[in-house]
Amino acid sequence: MPWTAREQDDAGSCAAAAPTSVTVGSVFKVGVFGADGRMGSEVVAAVQAADDMELVAGVDATDDREAVRGADYVVDFTHPDAVMDNLEWLIDHGIHAVVGTSGFDEDRLERVRAMQAAKPGAKVLIAPNFGIAAVLMMHFAQKAAPYFDSTEIIELHHPNKADAPSGTAYRTAELISQARHEAGTGPMPDATTSEIPGARGADVDGVRVHSLRLAGLIAHQEIVFGTSGESFKIRHDSMNRASFMPGVLLGVRRVADLTEPLTLGLESLLGLD
Ligand SMILES: NC(=O)C1=CN([C@@H]2O[C@H](COP(=O)(O)OP(=O)(O)OC[C@H]3O[C@@H](n4cnc5c(N)ncnc54)[C@H](OP(=O)(O)O)[C@@H]3O)[C@@H](O)[C@H]2O)C=CC1
Ligand SMILES: O=C(O)C1=N[C@H](C(=O)O)C[C@H](O)C1
């Protein structure tokens, strides 16, 4: 069932969603796609708890998207198979989108840019990871990459995750590959000539990514760098899904003012690029 502002009022338990300390004009009117999911339900709670935000509606797979029509912003945590259609609808309706759903490669990003060119107005922020420490992990990995002969990524997630490798690992690999390319670093040494398929992980832009799915985990990633006589590891752990919420709310607050129609990652919002 979709959550609506009216239902919150009726329930009488979500006073934070109807802020009294700010003028109506400065309230961020937010909708949530994937509202019944693990992330979406956290976003619903975070929006309701934010003094400067009002939850217009939460929409899940079987609900009508029209419920978010009154929103200026929609946060999408759905499924890689659903998110492109959701984005098309949001862009068409001039609603800014803050997207956490994974599955974005260059082809998809190009399609989003094309949608925005055809119907300018709505800004789109797609962040492979809204954890502030996770963004720092990716940033530091990019900085370290040119100094090492070898870099591999191990991502570890809960077993209910639909996609592999994770969006974070995919983006980290892209950033590492880009940094190595810009620095003129050669290919990574690897003498493997005999292999059971998958044993060396997935090749993402020349970076090997190994995906573990383990009960009890949330979201974790380790980047292992190696060079002669030294190795270096960067590790990030998300202990709960609330950890993503400061980044999501930052995205909502800033997306409309972003310079480009489409922004990938939280880096520019954190002054990291
Ligand atoms: N960027 C980041 O920081 C993070 C990104 N993620 C990503 O977010 C996505 C969601 O993860 P998670 O919350 O764990 O997944 P869940 O499966 O728990 O939640 C997804 C929800 O979206 C619903 N849904 C599916 N299609 C639609 C649609 N068209 N419209 C509205 N709702 C829909 C699903 O319904 P149903 O189950 O009925 O299909 C489900 O309730 C994944 O891609 C994940 O990788 C996750 C954590 C952090
Ligand atoms: O599905 C998840 O849980 C997560 N998905 C994102 C990803 O694919 O990178 C972000 C985080 O790793 C949690």
Side-chain angles (χ1 to χ4, degrees):
M1 282 294 289
W3 292 71
T4 67
R6 172 171 291 279
E7 283 163 358
Q8 291 164 33
D9 290 343
D10 291 348
S13 59
C14 299
T20 51
S21 59
V22 289
T23 58
V24 171
S26 67
V27 170
F28 293 85
K29 297 173 111 182
V30 184
V32 179
F33 283 171
D36 294 341
R38 286 176 288 270
M39 283 298 290
S41 53
E42 284 285 348
V43 177
V44 165
V47 167
Q48 287 175 328
D51 286 342
D52 59 346
M53 293 188 191
E54 175 192 324
L55 180 70
V56 173
V59 166
D60 210 70
T62 54
D63 299 325
D64 189 347
R65 283 185 294 213
E66 286 294 326
V68 304
R69 270 294 203 118
D72 299 314
Y73 308 85
V74 162
V75 179
D76 186 301
F77 280 97
T78 56
H79 191 282
D81 293 344
V83 67
M84 291 300 284
D85 188 54
N86 284 344
L87 272 174
E88 189 164 23
W89 189 90
L90 292 170
I91 291 166
D92 223 38
H93 289 82
I95 300 172
H96 303 299
V98 174
V99 179
T101 307
S102 50
F104 283 90
D105 55 13
E106 194 43 51
D107 175 60
R108 281 189 165 207
L109 295 173
E110 212 36 66
R111 282 163 53 199
V112 175
R113 288 186 194 102
M115 291 175 203
Q116 291 176 293
K119 187 81 198 284
K123 298 278 176 68
V124 176
L125 169 65
I126 299 172
N129 201 310
F130 280 97
I132 306 297
V135 179
L136 289 169
M137 163 187 67
M138 288 187 264
H139 182 71
F140 295 143
Q142 189 179 12
K143 294 278 176 218
Y147 297 92
F148 294 88
D149 296 323
S150 314
T151 306
E152 303 209 5
I153 299 172
I154 305 162
E155 57 98 337
L156 312 90
H157 280 83
H158 59 93
N160 295 315
K161 185 165 176 56
D163 56 315
S166 71
T168 307
Y170 190 91
R171 182 64 184 149
T172 309
E174 282 184 335
L175 292 170
I176 288 169
S177 178
Q178 189 185 318
R180 287 174 64 94
H181 179 74
E182 283 167 10
T185 316
M188 297 186 203
D190 184 354
T192 309
T193 51
S194 167
E195 179 192 358
I196 294 177
R200 292 287 293 115
D203 181 334
V204 181
D205 278 0
V207 180
R208 294 284 165 177
V209 181
H210 310 270
S211 298
L212 280 62
R213 298 291 175 262
L214 295 171
L217 296 185
I218 301 277
H220 316 259
Q221 180 166 293
E222 198 160 295
I223 305 151
V224 188
F225 301 92
T227 192
S228 182
E230 281 191 297
S231 76
F232 177 49
K233 288 181 189 159
I234 302 176
R235 182 174 171 109
H236 172 259
D237 297 281
S238 302
M239 262 74 83
N240 56 46
R241 292 184 176 84
S243 66
F244 299 106
M245 294 307 118
V248 172
L249 298 188
L250 175 70
V252 171
R253 291 182 180 117
R254 298 279 296 281
V255 63
D257 297 327
L258 293 170
T259 337
E260 300 297 326
L262 171 63
T263 299
L264 180 61
L266 277 193
E267 285 82 348
S268 61
L269 285 71
L270 298 174
L272 288 172
D273 59 358

